[in-house]
């Protein structure tokens, strides 16, 4: 992945276990533990995706008025 993609907020860093599991079983290509976690995926249909892992919360309001805000990584 190219380091030209720079996320601004909620970046998953290389030291995060999510980054390590994404690049398992090999080492993830990071120079420092605080560097952003880049990814690249090749799909069976020859498509691909590349970018920077980020975490964010998604507030969901239930019909009873309660709100939950799960944190998702994408």
């Amino acid at each position: 992945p190219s380091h030209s993609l720079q996320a601004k907020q909620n970046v998953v860093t290389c030291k995060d276990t999510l980054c390590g599991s994404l690049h398992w079983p090999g080492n993830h290509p990071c120079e420092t533990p605080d560097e952003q976690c880049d990814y690249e995926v090749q799909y069976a249909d020859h498509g691909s995706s590349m970018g920077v892992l980020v975490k964010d919360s998604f507030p969901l309001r239930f019909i009873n008025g309660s709100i939950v805000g799960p944190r998702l990584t994408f």
Side-chain angles (χ1 to χ4, degrees), residues 2-3 5 11 18 20 22 24 35 39 41 46-48 55 59-60 66 71:
S2 170
H3 288 280
L5 300 170
V11 173
L18 288 169
L22 177 71
W24 185 87
E35 190 176 318
Y39 76 90
V41 177
H46 304 290
S48 65
K55 292 181 185 179
L60 304 170
S66 66
R71 290 194 52 85

Side-chain angles (χ1 to χ4, degrees), residues 2-64:
S2 170
H3 288 280
S4 63
L5 300 170
Q6 296 291 319
K8 302 290 185 205
Q9 297 177 6
N10 303 326
V11 173
V12 174
T13 61
C14 289
K15 65 184 171 191
D16 193 304
T17 56
L18 288 169
C19 186
S21 64
L22 177 71
H23 295 285
W24 185 87
N27 293 331
H28 41 85
C30 297
E31 294 180 19
T32 66
D34 292 322
E35 190 176 318
Q36 71 186 22
C37 182
D38 295 336
Y39 76 90
E40 184 171 7
V41 177
Q42 300 289 326
Y43 298 105
D45 68 354
H46 304 290
S48 65
S49 174
M50 68 184 299
V52 178
L53 282 186
V54 294
K55 292 181 185 179
D56 207 350
S57 61
F58 291 84
L60 304 170
R61 183 181 304 271
F62 291 100
I63 58 172
N64 68 3

